[in-house]
Amino acid sequence: EAGVAQSPRYKIIEKRQSVAFWCNPISGHATLYWYQQILGQGPKLLIQFQNNGVVDDSQLPKDRFSAERLKGVDSTLKIQPAKLEDSAVYLCASSSNRVGYEQYFGPGTRLTVT
Amino acid sequence: DQQVKQNSPSLSVQEGRISILNCDYTNSMFDYFLWYKKYPAEGPTFLISISSIKDKNEDGRFTVFLNKSAKHLSLHIVPSQPGDSAVYFCAASAGVLNTPLVFGKGTRLSVIA
């Protein structure tokens, strides 16, 4: 079974530029999450999708961050415009619709904003 | 306001000995707890979990203990191996179905040969 795929793995941009990250979850997993992990911290949820609907985006900075999950499979997370404090690893995770599930994480995209 | 706390940023253990990683939580609604292991440049990998209806779960060299009254859980690794050297994250969720995980800051374990 293929794992969660993410691209790009690394990205360096200047502040005020825009950037997009892509995630392909494990086949059949209905739930998809985007987490932000700042250096020295644990992952923090940005947004959760159930199929192609948003379940929780309460911690997503909506003035600059947006995310979509078309057709309930792949997802894209966008930042526009980027700030220095957005430098972090962006992790995508997916899970199946079972109680006691585990979330499976992709390798992440390391973003550096200069 | 950290709901999941891992108060030891790092831990160093000799190969073959026991590693004990600790985690405390504050939210009484949490009823499912997980440990993830993370190597550099990789995403977190699920290790072991425990439901609040249990106080112990064992999987090979890994055992997780849950003390609900103290809101405390621990991960025991016996015997520790050099390949166990990684950052370990404690995570919790307020059950039902597909709820987001709340993570601690992680503990870096170094197993010395």
Side-chain angles (χ1 to χ4, degrees):
Chain A
E1 180 182 72
V4 177
Q6 289 188 246
S7 68
R9 292 296 311 275
Y10 305 91
K11 190 75 177 177
I12 300 174
I13 61 172
E14 294 182 352
K15 60 183 179 184
R16 291 187 288 275
Q17 287 187 324
S18 62
V19 64
F21 314 127
W22 173 82
C23 172
N24 180 245
I26 292 173
S27 178
H29 279 192
T31 308
L32 185 147
Y33 311 80
W34 283 101
Y35 288 87
Q36 179 192 56
Q37 185 180 11
I38 292 172
L39 188 65
Q41 305 286 322
K44 184 188 83 171
L45 180 77
L46 290 175
I47 188 167
Q48 176 186 352
F49 291 94
Q50 180 74 18
N51 297 309
N52 60 349
V54 175
V55 174
D56 183 351
D57 64 356
S58 57
Q59 298 187 80
L60 186 74
K62 298 181 188 64
D63 57 334
R64 298 184 300 106
F65 285 64
S66 64
E68 60 181 8
R69 189 181 184 196
L70 299 176
K71 301 180 182 178
V73 182
D74 293 6
S75 178
T76 302
L77 176 69
K78 296 180 181 177
I79 307 175
Q80 181 179 12
K83 292 185 175 181
L84 295 176
E85 58 260 36
D86 298 332
S87 294
V89 175
Y90 291 84
L91 294 161
C92 179
S94 69
S95 63
S96 63
N97 288 341
R98 292 184 294 110
V99 176
Y101 72 102
E102 295 82 42
Q103 294 182 23
Y104 296 88
F105 284 82
T109 297
R110 179 175 294 278
L111 173 67
T112 302
V113 183
T114 63
Chain B
D1 176 29
Q2 264 202 295
Q3 299 184 68
V4 177
K5 300 176 184 178
Q6 293 178 258
N7 292 321
S8 298
S10 63
L11 175 67
S12 194
V13 172
Q14 279 197 316
E15 181 180 6
R17 307 295 290 267
I18 183 171
S19 295
I20 300 176
L21 294 92
N22 294 303
C23 177
D24 298 294
Y25 61 96
T26 58
N27 189 339
S28 300
M29 298 299 292
F30 289 149
D31 60 359
Y32 193 64
F33 304 89
L34 307 90
W35 285 93
Y36 280 82
K37 180 167 78 170
K38 188 180 183 305
Y39 292 119
E42 295 183 12
T45 302
F46 170 73
L47 193 57
I48 192 169
S49 62
I50 188 166
S51 165
S52 60
I53 63 173
K54 296 184 175 181
D55 55 16
K56 176 182 174 181
N57 189 26
E58 191 172 354
D59 184 1
R61 297 186 296 113
F62 303 91
T63 303
V64 56
F65 296 92
L66 175 62
N67 182 335
K68 289 187 291 294
S69 60
K71 293 192 177 67
H72 176 84
L73 62 154
S74 60
L75 173 68
H76 293 211
I77 306 173
V78 183
S80 300
Q81 300 174 353
D84 295 330
S85 297
V87 177
Y88 289 78
F89 290 99
C90 173
S93 73
V96 188
L97 188 65
N98 292 332
T99 51
L101 296 176
V102 178
F103 284 84
K105 291 186 176 182
T107 297
R108 181 178 301 278
L109 174 65
S110 299
V111 180
I112 304 163

